[in-house]
Amino acid sequence: FKIVHRIRSDPDKSRGGGVGVIHRADIILTQVFLSHGATFESVSAKFKDKDGVNIFCACVYRPGVLSDAFFSDFDDFIGSIFVRFTKIVICGDLNIHLDNCRSKHATMFSDLISSYGTHPACHGPYPQTWSSSRCRNLFSQSDRIEEYCC
């Protein structure tokens, strides 16, 4: 296995060390650097599918208290991805309980990503070993991507 990672830019502000994507050594990933607001961390990479088409993969982590600035930052981030790539996978931990339909933040987030034709996969079938309370982790894909394990 190999890793593509991004070290936390200011480790003195909080504990931890950043985000990363671990992948099989036979899959060649190229790191893609995208800027975004300070409300979340990310590492992004692209790789080719079996037909040679680029697939963009972003791993995101949103620590701390959820602010309205996050939604603006994440909207800008996704917008910059969708103008460059057609096959997109976004995964990570946003610490938003997407399974709580009464949550203002879950609704705001679902509306945001739905506007790009994406959907949180935890609203669909997910492994039976996950409880609905664990649906803070986002595994989202664009409608333009085939089922592909990365």
Side-chain angles (χ1 to χ4, degrees):
F1 290 93
K2 291 185 176 183
I3 186 169
V4 174
H5 68 284
R6 189 168 192 178
I7 297 170
R8 182 165 288 148
S9 60
D10 191 356
D12 293 332
K13 287 190 174 180
S14 62
R15 60 191 174 102
V19 291
V21 175
I22 299 171
H23 62 94
R24 289 188 341 221
D26 62 331
I27 298 175
I28 300 171
L29 269 81
T30 303
Q31 192 164 359
V32 176
F33 295 93
L34 297 173
S35 62
H36 55 73
T39 58
F40 66 97
E41 302 171 23
S42 75
V43 64
S44 303
K46 65 180 179 178
F47 62 99
K48 295 194 182 297
D49 70 6
K50 62 184 180 256
D51 298 322
V53 176
N54 279 328
I55 295 179
F56 175 86
C57 179
C59 178
V60 297
Y61 173 66
R62 190 202 59 76
V65 177
L66 183 58
S67 70
D68 288 341
F70 164 74
F71 295 98
S72 177
D73 288 349
F74 202 71
D75 188 18
D76 292 343
F77 179 68
I78 292 179
S80 70
I81 294 168
F82 270 78
V83 298
R84 295 176 58 188
F85 299 94
T86 56
K87 293 188 173 189
I88 300 163
V89 176
I90 301 171
C91 59
D93 185 354
L94 296 177
N95 290 304
I96 300 173
H97 290 274
L98 299 174
D99 59 326
N100 182 355
C101 62
R102 293 184 180 141
S103 164
K104 170 184 131 181
H105 293 129
T107 300
M108 288 171 65
F109 185 78
S110 292
D111 290 347
L112 171 64
I113 64 170
S114 294
S115 72
Y116 289 95
T118 65
H119 54 280
C122 66
H123 283 179
Y126 51 88
Q128 291 182 357
T129 56
W130 293 7
S131 67
S132 62
S133 64
R134 291 191 54 199
C135 200
R136 291 178 299 147
N137 298 323
L138 170 70
F139 293 91
S140 180
Q141 67 184 35
S142 73
D143 291 337
R144 299 177 287 183
I145 188 169
E146 62 196 65
E147 286 299 319
Y148 194 92
C149 181
C150 68

